[in-house]
Amino acid sequence: MDFKMDMFRLDGKVALVTGAVYGIGFEIAKSLATAGATIVFNNIDQASVAQGIANYQEIGIVAKGYVCDVTDETAVQKMIQQIKTEVGSVDILVNNAGIIKRTPMIEMDVADFRQVIDVDLNAPFIMAKAVLPDMIEKGQGKIINICSMMSELGRETVSAYAAAKGGLKMLTKNIASEYGQYNIQCNGIGPGYIATPQTAPLREKQEDGERHPFDQFIVGRTPAARWGEPIDLAGPAIFLASEASDFVNGHILYVDGGILAYIGKQP
Ligand code: NAP
Ligand code: GCO
């Protein structure tokens, strides 16, 4: 078989991107739509879903939104059945919905730790479990888990997030191991530091007008010398969602401007 650029196309595919109202999820959904996929997304409440639908409409994408908390297995199973009836069974799942709590570990309530693990690790398991049976039946499917630098690195205040994203990396490899035989690929995208509402507190200008010290720290640690933008994730997402990556499985593609390759500036 010869390689054709059409192998990157997603026409006729149904892509579900969780939590995709704005930020990384929205940009990934936009890119999958550009490649031809039909977009469905969910969020935790009606107001966010309505906002999402309006955001997609504004750029000419007809996306269907569902109110669903990704940590609630009953609600997730119901949503997946509804999508199957109303749009078609899910061909591409992007586990994007995520939260972070930045608290020194010894000050962190166990309830907060559990909540981060629930949204960032248990929910991708719940979501993948819900879509896999149809993917197995069809003999094809793509699952993309949004991991993090914190799948590999630690940092002060993000113990729960790092534990969850490290776990998500291994869940990715395990789904690939367990279901690869059905022509299902499960890969991760590990974004570097991306300018979204989630990282806004790390980029806030100081009272004296100076850049936030964390902002300066990240730019200094990134060979590309800038924060990432959600659009930096578009190409990698299309690749991992498409036939072009059919023999790529259990891989985490870090899109980090080179952070993981870099020891830091020499003095
Ligand atoms: P974001 O702006 O906070 O967006 C995450 C979305 O998920 C929000 O719309 C949020 O809803 C939704 N969500 C949260 N809990 C949910 C639940 N239980 N059920 C359904 N939806 C839920 O985050 P982002 O920066 O775009 O990040 C998206 C993903 O990339 C996350 O997994 C994040 O950890 C990961 N990531 C981000 C960066 C970065 O630098 N920004 C880097 C690496 C990885 P609300 O609007 O109601 O909160
Ligand atoms: C943090 C950040 C993380 C990063 C991201 C890095 O506090 O370390 O907010 O969420 O943005 O996950 O890949």
Side-chain angles (χ1 to χ4, degrees):
M1 193 175 77
D2 293 328
F3 175 79
K4 294 194 184 70
M5 283 306 285
D6 277 3
M7 289 171 91
F8 288 98
R9 294 288 315 172
L10 302 174
D11 304 281
K13 303 288 184 192
V14 175
L16 167 58
V17 187
T18 65
V21 169
Y22 51 82
I24 288 175
F26 183 70
E27 199 62 42
I28 287 179
K30 236 170 88 178
S31 68
L32 301 184
T34 306
T38 300
I39 302 302
V40 287
F41 72 98
N42 71 294
N43 214 291
I44 206 156
D45 56 38
Q46 186 56 52
S48 308
V49 169
Q51 183 60 55
I53 290 172
N55 292 349
Y56 287 104
Q57 254 168 12
E58 210 179 305
I59 53 168
I61 295 173
V62 181
K64 206 161 168 54
Y66 293 84
V67 177
C68 175
D69 178 343
V70 287
T71 65
D72 178 344
E73 185 172 19
T74 308
V76 166
Q77 290 284 352
K78 192 173 150 213
M79 172 177 71
I80 297 302
Q81 285 316 308
Q82 237 179 312
I83 294 172
K84 191 173 174 179
T85 313
E86 295 171 2
V87 189
S89 67
V90 174
D91 299 292
I92 301 159
L93 166 66
V94 182
N95 278 313
N96 163 78
I99 59 169
I100 189 165
K101 289 181 192 282
R102 299 185 184 95
T103 315
M105 186 176 141
I106 57 173
E107 292 165 24
M108 190 170 200
D109 291 339
V110 70
D112 284 340
F113 189 93
R114 286 198 172 113
Q115 192 194 353
V116 174
I117 300 288
D118 211 22
V119 178
D120 293 358
L121 178 58
N122 297 343
F125 159 79
I126 289 170
M127 291 296 311
K129 183 181 163 193
V131 299
L132 276 165
D134 280 337
M135 290 181 173
I136 292 169
E137 204 180 309
K138 282 200 279 190
Q140 59 177 44
K142 300 275 184 183
I143 299 176
I144 302 172
N145 291 326
I146 305 302
C147 298
S148 164
M149 293 290 85
M150 271 61 222
S151 299
E152 299 292 340
L153 301 171
R155 150 171 130 64
E156 298 83 351
T157 75
V158 295
S159 57
Y161 187 78
K165 294 293 188 178
L168 186 56
K169 173 181 74 174
M170 285 314 301
L171 178 66
T172 303
K173 290 174 189 272
N174 214 83
I175 294 171
S177 306
E178 206 164 340
Y179 298 105
Q181 61 184 307
Y182 300 103
N183 187 29
I184 291 166
Q185 291 81 44
C186 180
N187 291 289
I189 291 179
Y193 281 80
I194 311 292
T196 70
Q198 194 216 60
T199 53
L202 305 176
R203 285 175 288 108
E204 255 169 24
K205 276 249 158 58
Q206 302 297 277
E207 274 175 15
D208 57 6
E210 281 297 304
R211 282 164 55 206
H212 194 295
F214 195 88
D215 178 1
Q216 301 183 30
F217 161 67
I218 283 304
V219 172
R221 278 287 279 119
T222 308
R226 65 170 175 89
W227 282 71
E229 296 297 330
I231 194 150
D232 290 316
L233 304 165
I238 291 174
F239 170 61
L240 291 178
S242 71
E243 201 189 334
S245 63
D246 274 0
F247 204 54
V248 179
N249 216 351
H251 187 78
I252 311 298
L253 176 49
Y254 290 100
V255 185
D256 64 353
I259 297 180
L260 288 178
Y262 186 40
I263 194 170
K265 209 166 200 59
Q266 65 187 43

